[in-house]
Amino acid sequence: MTRRRFTGQLDLEHGSVDLTHGSGGRAMAQLIDELFRRHLDNALLAQGNDQALFQPPPGRLAISTDGHVIAPLFFPGGDIGCLAVHGTVNDVAMSGARPLYLAAGFILEEGLPLADLARIVRSMAQAANEAGVAVVTGDTKVVERGKGDGCFITTTGVGVVPDGIDISGDRAVPGDAILVSGCLGDHGVAIMSRRENLGFETEIASDTAALHDLVAAMIAAVPEIHCLRDPTRGGLATTLNELALQSGVGMRIHEPAIPVRPEVAAACELLGLDPLYVANEGKLVAICPAERADTLLMAMRSHPKGRDAAIIGQVIEDPHRFVQMETAFGGSRIVDWLAGEQLPRIC
Amino acid sequence: MTRRRFTGQLDLEHGSVDLTHGSGGRAMAQLIDELFRRHLDNALLAQGNDQALFQPPPGRLAISTDGHVIAPLFFPGGDIGCLAVHGTVNDVAMSGARPLYLAAGFILEEGLPLADLARIVRSMAQAANEAGVAVVTGDTKVVERGKGDGCFITTTGVGVVPDGIDISGDRAVPGDAILVSGCLGDHGVAIMSRRENLGFETEIASDTAALHDLVAAMIAAVPEIHCLRDPTRGGLATTLNELALQSGVGMRIHEPAIPVRPEVAAACELLGLDPLYVANEGKLVAICPAERADTLLMAMRSHPKGRDAAIIGQVIEDPHRFVQMETAFGGSRIVDWLAGEQLPRIC
């Protein structure tokens, strides 16, 4: 890798981002060299061009983009850096794809401590490394103080879909089983408890994680999975409504079957949140033919990221495309779309 | 395309963005349906999944990402919407690639008038349509008032590189000719004159444009082009320094050969800017073997976006990797990297 001539190194201990770091000039080149390329190092990024070239493996490609604007930047269980990797890896993986490459666009606010930025970039690098994806190209912009909020990261991912896999939100059919991969609400509650400075006895950590390996294990066991989606903003309730609308079906879920940690349920009650609407960053919803549900469940539970997986309901015929829930007390209610905004800046 | 049930339509005349538009819930779904999908309509986007699937054509793929944070959002000759398409189409095209698909991530500030957002999205749609690329997937986030600046757009592009083309910033060799595709500085001066409310007699418009068709014509004429890069932030001076560093060469350019419109030169003098450092959004720098330079120049001048193309200098041996300029008065000076920040938020 070529390096530019600089008079001094970035002061990663006491320095902060200023407008010159977005200028296209010497300071930006230094930031890219000493921070981004150093930590995210890979052969494609080292090409040093404004784009990365790669020979795709055979098959269909999946592309997905996701902006990350979470506040605070650092939270129990993660930070915006690993979240920006996990979020996009997961959106790519929900097509059944194996993620290959990421592009990262940073929008930094003047004044962001370089130490914070370095921590974020290191976290991205570690998350990308663990997920087996490379950040192959990127971009950095700086906005004036008060025109941003520290750091926003938009990541775009590309992956390859194995032959014979056809997973899409419009493929749910009546009779299908609905599964979730684990306990709901951890991410949203972790963020909210940090924002509100609530000191719970047990700290609740975000579930932020890359799910592509869980997905690979699932499609190896049950290639005929119909739908996969990660219930992030808007939570399980919104994701199920999206899938019901897209597929033109209804859904019936069983409240007692939905896994929620007791401490998350308690925190939700305290915070006035409904765990069905709280964001997750390391969970997925799967819909598959009923007769394959047990096999899929077993495959999920055999994977560390699906240990607490559960079958939570079934797809039904419904011209209204409603999601209904049988409650723990034997009643039934409609689980509607999220109407307002429970948790701004959750991802 | 499936549409969701809403009680009323978005008020595109008097409404504004609020936090619910980033919630993942009903309001966000409505914004996506009534604005993004409506204007950017294509089969892949209509899949309605969190990712788009496509079968890539044979060949290497190029991927590039670019955040757009320009202020003001609307300026003479364009707006952030078309700029976000052109900027990324150009970054992809500078590898010699034909751009195929775009992903768009929006970060909106609470309070942005929906009328402005609609104008931006329509402009994106038109620019994408003209460039023959489809916006196939996207993401919308909303940040609180005072935590953003109206609208930031990060676009990521994917394109396919024709066989036999090998264009990279590290391929310049001594003896090569250096060309530019047209007059320099229009974009930066257009933005600055709008910011400063300068009423020049002739309004200077941004040159924002997609250059992939010019690139296609250039590589059809001279497939052995060594380097292509668009001189955006930091202008021609910074781009040449980047290429000199990457290739391990020096460069010598001739001031009188560098095309700058008289009104842009006059505005730069008034604003205290050096046109060599001012951003362009519809121009490119090309480096090719000297014996092919005239053919390349002719191909560029035959294209509407290269009418004012010129040969401006040559690559030389220089262990210091300096860019030198012979001035109009017969002297010579070093053209250094941009050191500070001339024009924040220029793209």
Side-chain angles (χ1 to χ4, degrees), chain A residues 4 22 26 47 50-52 54 61 63-64 67 91 139-141 144 156 233 245-246 336 338 345, chain B residues 4 22 26 47 50-52 54 61 63-64 67 91 139-141 144 156 233 245-246 336 338 345:
Chain A
R4 291 159 181 83
R26 195 184 287 279
Q47 289 171 348
D50 287 340
Q51 70 294 121
F54 63 95
L61 294 186
I63 183 169
S64 186
D91 278 346
D139 179 65
T140 308
K141 293 291 188 303
E144 307 89 333
T156 306
R233 278 180 292 178
L245 179 80
Q246 236 182 307
D336 202 357
L338 178 63
R345 312 273 307 272
Chain B
R4 292 160 181 82
R26 193 184 289 278
Q47 289 171 349
D50 287 341
Q51 71 295 121
F54 63 95
L61 295 185
I63 182 168
S64 187
D91 278 346
D139 179 65
T140 307
K141 294 291 188 302
E144 307 88 334
T156 306
R233 277 181 292 177
L245 179 79
Q246 237 182 307
D336 202 358
L338 177 64
R345 311 275 304 275

Side-chain angles (χ1 to χ4, degrees), chain B residues 64-88:
Chain B
S64 187
T65 197
D66 215 351
H68 297 86
V69 299
I70 193 164
L73 297 175
F74 305 95
F75 50 82
D79 55 64
I80 193 171
C82 65
L83 185 72
V85 170
H86 296 154
T88 293

Side-chain angles (χ1 to χ4, degrees), chain A residues 103-315:
Chain A
F106 291 81
I107 297 175
L108 307 176
E109 184 191 11
E110 182 186 15
L112 175 72
L114 285 173
D116 285 358
L117 183 58
R119 191 174 154 197
I120 290 165
V121 175
R122 281 194 298 266
S123 172
M124 280 192 93
Q126 189 185 335
N129 195 39
E130 285 171 6
V133 297
V135 179
V136 294
T137 190
D139 179 65
T140 308
K141 293 291 188 303
V142 179
V143 296
E144 307 89 333
R145 212 179 282 267
K147 302 293 186 183
D149 195 16
C151 177
F152 302 146
I153 308 175
T154 300
T155 44
T156 306
V158 173
V160 60
V161 185
D163 277 343
I165 298 301
D166 182 12
I167 294 171
S168 176
D170 59 3
R171 295 202 61 226
V173 292
D176 279 358
I178 305 170
L179 298 87
V180 296
S181 65
C183 295
L184 297 179
D186 298 10
H187 177 73
V189 166
I191 303 305
M192 281 305 276
S193 61
R194 172 56 52 101
R195 276 194 211 155
E196 309 287 330
N197 275 317
L198 299 176
F200 294 121
E201 273 185 44
T202 325
E203 187 176 68
I204 295 164
S206 165
D207 58 344
T208 183
L211 297 174
H212 60 295
D213 47 359
L214 171 63
V215 169
M218 290 166 67
I219 61 180
V222 181
E224 58 270 56
I225 292 171
H226 287 160
C227 314
L228 289 176
R229 193 159 292 176
D230 50 340
T232 56
R233 278 180 292 178
L236 177 70
T238 302
T239 296
L240 293 181
N241 271 285
E242 284 174 16
L243 295 172
L245 179 80
Q246 236 182 307
S247 291
V249 296
M251 295 189 183
R252 186 179 293 128
I253 57 175
H254 311 283
E255 189 171 29
I258 300 171
V260 179
R261 286 180 215 290
E263 61 269 33
V264 170
C268 279
E269 208 159 307
L270 185 72
L271 293 163
L273 301 174
D274 180 341
L276 290 185
Y277 291 88
V278 174
N280 310 277
E281 291 290 346
K283 299 292 159 21
L284 59 79
V285 174
I287 295 181
C288 77
E291 66 275 15
R292 305 293 285 139
D294 287 335
T295 307
L296 186 59
L297 182 66
M298 212 147 53
M300 292 166 80
R301 286 191 173 164
S302 308
H303 192 280
K305 290 173 191 162
R307 265 198 313 268
D308 301 320
I311 299 174
I312 63 163
Q314 57 277 351
V315 178

Side-chain angles (χ1 to χ4, degrees), chain B residues 187-206:
Chain B
H187 177 73
V189 166
I191 303 306
M192 281 305 275
S193 60
R194 172 55 52 102
R195 276 193 211 155
E196 309 287 330
N197 276 316
L198 299 176
F200 295 120
E201 272 183 45
T202 326
E203 187 176 70
I204 295 164
S206 166

Side-chain angles (χ1 to χ4, degrees), chain B residues 140-211:
Chain B
T140 307
K141 294 291 188 302
V142 179
V143 296
E144 307 88 334
R145 211 179 283 266
K147 302 293 186 183
D149 195 17
C151 177
F152 302 146
I153 308 176
T154 300
T155 44
T156 306
V158 174
V160 61
V161 185
D163 277 344
I165 298 300
D166 183 12
I167 294 170
S168 177
D170 59 4
R171 295 203 60 228
V173 292
D176 280 358
I178 305 170
L179 297 89
V180 296
S181 65
C183 294
L184 298 179
D186 298 10
H187 177 73
V189 166
I191 303 306
M192 281 305 275
S193 60
R194 172 55 52 102
R195 276 193 211 155
E196 309 287 330
N197 276 316
L198 299 176
F200 295 120
E201 272 183 45
T202 326
E203 187 176 70
I204 295 164
S206 166
D207 58 344
T208 182
L211 296 174

Side-chain angles (χ1 to χ4, degrees), chain B residues 17-40:
Chain B
V17 170
D18 63 45
L19 290 171
T20 68
H21 291 117
S23 66
R26 193 184 289 278
M28 192 175 91
Q30 183 177 25
L31 185 74
I32 291 170
D33 269 1
E34 294 182 18
L35 203 53
F36 294 112
R37 285 204 195 151
R38 187 176 149 208
H39 292 292
L40 301 170

